[in-house]
Amino acid sequence: MLLERIYDEDLSQTSYLIACQASSEAIVVDPRRDIRVYLDLAAQHGLRIVAVTETHLHADFLSGVRELAAATGATAYVPGTGGEDWQYGFEAERLMDHDTIALGQITLTARHTPGHTPEHLSYLVTDGAFADEPGYILTGDFVFSGDLGRPDLLDEAVGMENTRFTGAKQLFASLRDVFLRLPDHVQVFPGHGAGSACGKAIGSLPSTSVGYERHFAWWGKHLKNDDEQGFLDELLDGQPDAHAYFARMKRQNQEGPALLGERVTPREVSAEELARGMDSGDLALVDTRPVAEVHAGTVPGALHIPMLSKAAGHLAWAFDPDTDEAQLVVLAPDAARAAEYGDHFVRVGIDALIGYLPTLEGLPSVAPSVISPAELAELIEAGEAGTLIDVRTRTEHAGGTIPGAQQLSSGKVLFRQSELPEPDAGQIITFCQSGLRNTVAASALRRAGYDVAELEGSYAGWARWREA
């Protein structure tokens, strides 16, 4: 048996390719939408991708199940569990509890493990060449290394009410009735790593085991003592903010993501074309330089996405394809680099990238407003700080913030403008922890028409200044 883990650092998301090498058949579980990595991996090992499936309706990225099935002719499988409201809207084989997928000597058995979402499936993997019982389980967003999938995401991201309590109870039952009935030696391969918003304290280890989690995970003591209420209380306390774009991901994944097919290589765009397009609203520039360079000057109205490694998540905070019809141009040295940004963008359903600009020469430039901690302190003392926005998470905000700051996380600020004053009502001052998330959020608000000043050094800079 071959089991390959494909990890996306951008969204802290994991997909898996599992194959029977005797039959050269492979299945991909929880694929992302830029599918080249799976095609290349299959070619490298001389495999045919004959099946593709996923564990649940994802909220943090757009699924590649349809894309990969269309490209390879593989059979698409999706969960058929969870009830009428959780059925997929595109053609695929529906899997129920205990249904199986066979690949030569490999068998995947679907187990219904609701809690994170009602339809969630985990997949037990049996390598028939060595054993007649499962040795591995792909847990998706059910069990992570040291943590569990959050049960409150439907409330937080989709706008449902009080599903967290039902979900938490379902997680307790799924652990008791499915996970903990497995032998300790069964290896666990989760769907996310540290940094994902799908859990609150996900570990960095790429895999774990049933026995390790049973004995050492925070929830183990509650299951051992049949303490459901203690489990619910600890699970629901301190869950992180859910990004606003998650609602769009849920909807698009359920309807069926649009097929990309053969993607066009981004073309070079001239400064003149970009200027005209930005003036008309038909084009939007994504400035990809580091924070310090952008603070020295950027094109008015440009979005700032300072890291390729986090480009998908950051752009999904700053650009809403549901309401924004602009096409995107990235600042990149060549088409190959621009295409890398495009790979990240499509993972969150932003398919609007058409081109790249190698230099900002010939375009207007303005230095974004930046305010020092000392200047902010004077404004606060005089009662003239205006609207001060902490774009960190609720947990970070609760652990200490600047006096008078309201919390609205970077992943929500563009989508919750009703919680902000009108764009012409005066300057907004924003900050995060170090300044990275803040520069993304601030650029999105500037493009939306707000006058925004970024706090120099953000909260860490404020703390250092206070201690000096």
Side-chain angles (χ1 to χ4, degrees):
M1 184 182 83
L2 176 72
L3 191 155
E4 291 275 3
R5 174 180 182 263
I6 300 96
Y7 189 65
D8 174 20
E9 295 280 355
D10 192 332
L11 300 170
S12 304
Q13 184 265 334
T14 308
S15 49
Y16 296 92
L17 183 146
I18 300 172
C20 173
Q21 291 158 304
S23 68
S24 299
E25 295 174 304
I27 184 172
V28 178
V29 181
D30 285 338
R32 66 194 194 217
R33 201 155 161 249
D34 54 315
I35 61 171
R36 175 50 55 188
V37 62
Y38 312 111
L39 302 177
D40 289 347
L41 195 56
Q44 175 187 336
H45 293 286
L47 302 170
R48 294 176 293 113
I49 297 174
V50 299
V52 56
T53 190
E54 64 185 19
T55 52
H56 65 293
L57 285 164
H58 302 285
D60 57 315
F61 72 101
L62 208 53
S63 167
V65 164
R66 289 193 74 216
E67 195 72 34
L68 192 53
T72 62
T75 301
Y77 297 89
V78 296
T81 44
E84 182 179 352
D85 293 339
W86 298 95
Q87 298 305 303
Y88 287 70
F90 59 90
E91 185 175 350
E93 298 289 329
R94 267 55 176 171
L95 293 172
M96 305 301 289
D97 194 25
H98 292 287
D99 281 352
T100 61
I101 302 171
L103 307 166
Q105 296 175 307
I106 307 299
T107 302
L108 275 72
T109 302
R111 293 306 317 271
H112 188 208
T113 48
H116 176 67
T117 58
E119 81 292 351
H120 193 288
L121 295 178
S122 297
Y123 293 99
L124 293 167
V125 182
T126 301
D127 183 357
F130 291 94
D132 58 3
E133 61 183 43
Y136 317 88
I137 182 171
L138 307 186
T139 52
D141 287 20
F142 169 33
V143 176
F144 300 124
S145 293
D147 201 11
L148 300 172
R150 59 188 299 177
D152 64 320
L153 200 56
L154 302 181
D155 290 353
E156 286 292 310
V158 186
M160 301 178 75
E161 293 186 8
N162 295 326
T163 62
R164 66 189 68 206
F165 303 108
T166 299
K169 287 177 177 288
Q170 288 177 330
L171 271 176
F172 187 86
S174 294
L175 288 166
R176 180 192 62 210
D177 300 338
V178 178
F179 189 80
L180 291 180
R181 295 195 178 195
L182 298 172
D184 280 357
H185 68 264
V186 172
Q187 294 183 51
V188 177
F189 293 93
H192 288 289
S196 168
C198 292
K200 63 178 176 179
I202 303 175
S204 298
L205 291 175
S207 65
T208 180
S209 69
V210 170
Y212 193 88
E213 297 304 305
R214 184 198 313 272
H215 293 294
F216 299 112
W218 66 262
W219 51 263
K221 62 182 183 295
H222 297 297
L223 271 294
K224 181 179 180 181
N225 297 323
D226 196 27
D227 176 20
E228 184 180 56
Q229 190 57 53
F231 172 86
L232 301 181
D233 292 343
E234 188 166 357
L235 175 64
L236 292 172
D237 181 53
Q239 289 288 354
D241 294 62
H243 304 312
Y245 81 90
F246 282 9
R248 176 171 59 84
M249 295 293 93
K250 277 284 187 187
R251 170 175 53 79
Q252 290 182 289
N253 278 325
Q254 189 164 21
E255 294 171 351
L259 292 176
L260 296 168
E262 286 294 326
R263 292 163 58 198
V264 177
T265 301
R267 63 178 177 83
E268 185 171 348
V269 173
S270 69
E272 294 77 12
E273 180 184 354
L274 179 65
R276 289 194 305 270
M278 292 185 72
D279 285 343
S280 67
D282 293 332
L283 295 179
L285 173 65
V286 179
D287 193 332
T288 59
R289 295 174 299 159
V291 175
E293 292 183 31
V294 168
H295 280 181
T298 187
V299 178
L303 296 172
H304 186 199
I305 307 298
M307 298 173 64
L308 174 61
S309 62
K310 293 296 180 183
H314 285 169
L315 187 62
W317 299 350
F319 184 86
D320 181 10
D322 274 351
T323 61
D324 199 329
E325 296 182 355
Q327 294 179 308
L328 299 176
V329 176
V330 296
L331 181 63
D334 50 42
R337 188 64 165 178
E340 289 186 71
Y341 280 95
D343 286 344
H344 286 251
F345 295 169
V346 300
R347 294 173 198 172
V348 289
I350 298 176
D351 305 342
L353 179 65
I354 63 156
Y356 70 97
L357 189 77
T359 176
L360 297 182
E361 288 183 18
L363 290 165
S365 179
V366 63
S369 297
V370 176
I371 186 172
S372 71
E375 291 170 325
L376 176 58
E378 290 180 4
L379 291 176
I380 293 173
E381 180 69 23
E384 298 175 356
T387 304
L388 185 58
I389 306 294
D390 184 344
V391 302
R392 298 176 302 163
T393 65
R394 288 189 300 258
T395 303
E396 290 173 296
H397 179 79
T401 191
I402 297 172
Q406 69 181 78
Q407 189 269 336
L408 189 59
S409 69
S410 50
K412 294 179 178 178
V413 66
L414 178 70
F415 302 83
R416 299 279 186 87
Q417 293 180 43
S418 62
E419 299 177 29
L420 301 174
E422 292 297 318
D424 58 359
Q427 191 176 68
I428 294 173
I429 301 172
T430 61
F431 65 94
C432 64
Q433 185 63 26
S434 66
L436 187 66
R437 288 170 289 174
N438 188 41
T439 193
V440 176
S443 72
L445 289 176
R446 289 190 186 104
R447 184 166 176 267
Y450 289 86
D451 178 10
V452 183
E454 299 171 55
L455 177 60
E456 184 180 13
S458 271
Y459 186 71
W462 171 268
R464 288 192 298 269
W465 177 80
R466 297 285 291 179
E467 292 171 1

